Amino acid sequence: METAATTTKVSTKKPKIKLDFKDSKYATGRRKKSIAKIWVKKGTGKIYVNGRTMDEYFTSGSHKMQITRPFEVINQATDYDVRCSVAGGGHTGQAGAMVHGIAKALILFDSENRAALKTEKLNTRDSRSVERKKPGRRKARRSFQFSKR
């Protein structure tokens, strides 16, 4: 009696996209606990995040719109390609870190972009973060439920 079941593992991993980012500008963006390493070069407007396209990585439309904001501010939405390696935090923090890094890299490309990006406050790190939990409280500021009787 042979009951040996042969199981074959089907690999559903997509091959990692190999990108040539010579002659590119590098910048680091941060937001909450997220850190984004950004490489920007002249191209056709493609954005890759962690080896995937932006549409595959970010499912929320607001995150996609937020990431493309620096290009819309300088009126060059399809002039640059972006490669990003992002880690830490959630999708919202990662999108914010990417915006910060992209804005810094665009300033390195052309210093004339600085004024437009500064008026939109895109090249400034958003320092807001989660407040720590305090002792004797349920959360950072929320008290435990009070019962009079």
Side-chain angles (χ1 to χ4, degrees), residues 21-128:
F21 269 78
K22 293 177 183 168
D23 305 324
S24 64
K25 300 293 182 189
Y26 171 79
T28 304
R30 291 184 174 90
R31 170 83 167 95
K32 294 186 176 181
K33 295 285 183 181
S34 302
I35 298 173
K37 301 172 188 174
I38 305 282
W39 290 268
V40 176
K41 71 169 188 170
K42 291 280 187 184
T44 59
K46 295 177 182 169
I47 300 175
Y48 297 100
V49 184
N50 291 349
R52 295 189 277 175
T53 62
M54 180 182 68
D55 295 327
E56 292 174 5
Y57 192 81
F58 291 105
T59 55
S60 173
S62 63
H63 292 154
K64 295 174 192 173
M65 188 173 62
Q66 184 182 0
I67 291 167
T68 57
R69 181 102 175 100
F71 299 114
E72 293 169 2
V73 168
I74 62 170
N75 295 323
Q76 295 176 344
T78 59
D79 291 351
Y80 296 98
D81 286 345
V82 177
R83 189 182 93 192
C84 174
S85 173
V86 66
H91 285 293
T92 302
Q94 289 179 353
M98 282 185 64
V99 170
H100 183 228
I102 290 169
K104 284 169 63 175
L106 289 174
I107 290 170
L108 291 175
F109 252 109
D110 190 6
S111 58
E112 294 176 6
N113 295 333
R114 183 180 182 89
L117 293 168
K118 189 169 183 172
T119 56
E120 297 292 322
K121 299 179 181 172
L122 296 178
N123 61 343
T124 306
R125 187 200 190 288
D126 190 354
S127 62
R128 295 177 297 167

